[in-house]
Amino acid sequence: MEVAPGDPWAAYTRTVVKFCRPREGDVVVRPAPTGQVGEWPWASPLPVSILTAWDPGEERLGDEENRVRQAALEADLGHLTGARWATVGVDPESGHREEGVAVRGVAEGEARALGARYRQDAIFVWTPDAWVLAACRGRRRLALGWSVGPP
């Protein structure tokens, strides 16, 4: 997966994300080799963006402060879309965990700008064809494959 050891994006390429979907059933997405994809679990093929306001940059804030920041992010998203789902991302190597939100119907540029506003390095954009890491600032982009399974 196109990152060198020590690259801050290495943890992103390992991140496993659980989507809490009360009506459709929860799913877990795992990164896979580029080009390998699973069965798309959504009714619509529209991209799903995953954002968080947790632990910006190198900061490691407590759960309380992170949840305050996340609530502010979700309030901002409320002006853009009503379709959203809670997420939890975990790096299985380090155990680092961040709560987030998945949205559909928000343009990738808007999602990246909102991530930048909350000082995030990148967002995930999930499509039927790829699990994409997209920089919030700059043009860096990394497309991986994905697999999906039960929680």
Side-chain angles (χ1 to χ4, degrees), residues 69-81 84 114 118:
R69 291 173 50 80
Q70 187 67 28
L73 167 68
E74 292 185 32
D76 286 344
L77 282 167
H79 302 293
L80 301 174
T81 182
R84 48 188 171 177
L114 196 51
Y118 285 88

Side-chain angles (χ1 to χ4, degrees), residues 3-67:
V3 294
D7 184 331
W9 277 32
Y12 300 149
T13 67
R14 298 186 299 261
T15 298
V16 175
V17 179
K18 176 182 176 184
F19 291 76
C20 303
R21 304 182 324 160
R23 293 186 188 104
E24 300 96 344
D26 296 351
V27 295
V28 173
V29 177
R30 291 173 178 79
T34 301
Q36 178 182 324
V37 296
E39 184 176 332
W40 186 244
W42 303 93
S44 165
L46 290 174
V48 177
S49 296
I50 301 93
L51 300 98
T52 187
W54 280 54
D55 293 336
E58 297 296 318
E59 291 183 59
R60 295 298 171 255
L61 308 172
D63 287 353
E64 185 177 326
E65 177 61 25
N66 278 319
R67 287 193 178 114

